């Protein structure tokens, strides 16, 4: 499988890059009324998404280990997974967006987009191939019905 770096580490790397960009970039700074409230709302939204996804995994007693999707015992298709095939990664993206708004540098959105690109290429596509092997037509139909991110 093409998985190399665990998603939590990828998240930390991108968050660190966002911090460095906001700290050392002479351009891109922004501020607006309600920026702190928007950051808080995004944090709450990310937490809701993550907790809902974890609840689904634990309820069905299947693995949450993103580095070994072939260990999945059940295909999770309902709850938050009826809206996103990757709600855990979506929660990480929303956290990065909240972090970028908190830091106040507009160019951090490019790093958040880079996170999506990296995750698609090196995490999600290999996961999808493993799940397709495990669950076959049922997973293929699920992919047709539910978007990858949102």
């Amino acid at each position: 499988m093409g998985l190399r770096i665990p998603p939590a580490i990828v998240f930390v790397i991108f968050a660190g890059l966002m911090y460095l960009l906001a700290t050392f970039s002479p351009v891109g700074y922004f501020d607006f009324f309600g920026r702190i409230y928007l950051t808080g709302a995004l944090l709450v939204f990310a937490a809701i998404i993550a907790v809902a996804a974890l609840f689904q995994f634990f309820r069905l007693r299947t693995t949450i280990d993103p580095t070994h999707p072939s260990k999945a015992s059940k295909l999770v298709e309902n709850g938050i997974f009826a809206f996103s095939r990757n709600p855990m990664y979506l929660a990480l993206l929303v956290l990065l967006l909240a972090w970028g708004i908190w830091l106040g540098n507009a160019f951090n959105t490019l790093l958040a987009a880079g996170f999506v690109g990296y995750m698609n290429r090196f995490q999600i596509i290999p996961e999808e191939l493993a799940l397709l092997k495990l669950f076959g037509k049922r997973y293929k139909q699920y992919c047709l019905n539910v978007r990858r991110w949102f």
Side-chain angles (χ1 to χ4, degrees):
M1 189 164 178
L3 304 177
R4 291 183 176 86
I5 304 172
I9 302 299
V10 173
F11 168 80
V12 169
I13 290 168
F14 275 89
L17 291 171
M18 291 171 91
Y19 174 79
L20 291 173
L21 178 66
T23 302
F24 297 109
S25 176
V27 295
Y29 178 77
F30 68 86
D31 196 8
F32 58 89
F33 177 77
R35 184 173 70 138
I36 293 172
Y37 298 115
L38 179 57
T39 300
L42 288 173
L43 290 173
V44 169
F45 186 54
I48 290 169
I49 293 169
V51 168
L54 286 171
F55 175 77
Q56 291 296 115
F57 279 124
F58 289 127
R59 189 175 66 83
L60 292 177
R61 293 188 174 106
T62 191
T63 184
I64 61 168
D65 184 357
T67 60
H68 297 98
S70 58
K71 291 183 180 179
S73 60
K74 295 185 177 111
L75 180 60
V76 184
E77 302 172 88
N78 53 12
I80 192 82
F81 288 89
F83 303 99
S84 171
R85 294 196 313 255
N86 300 286
M88 296 298 294
Y89 304 146
L90 177 60
L92 292 178
L93 173 62
V94 173
L95 284 175
L96 284 177
L97 293 173
W99 179 236
I101 291 170
W102 174 261
L103 292 171
N105 189 298
F107 294 109
N108 278 329
T109 57
L110 297 174
L111 286 170
F115 173 78
V116 170
Y118 180 91
M119 293 300 290
N120 280 336
R121 169 66 178 90
F122 295 105
Q123 184 67 39
I124 294 173
I125 290 174
E127 274 184 16
E128 288 178 344
L129 293 173
L131 293 172
L132 187 59
K133 277 185 180 179
L134 269 177
F135 300 109
K137 289 182 182 179
R138 185 171 168 201
Y139 183 72
K140 193 171 188 171
Q141 185 60 45
Y142 172 67
C143 288
L144 292 173
N145 293 333
V146 180
R147 292 175 177 230
R148 185 176 278 168
W149 286 88
F150 51 86

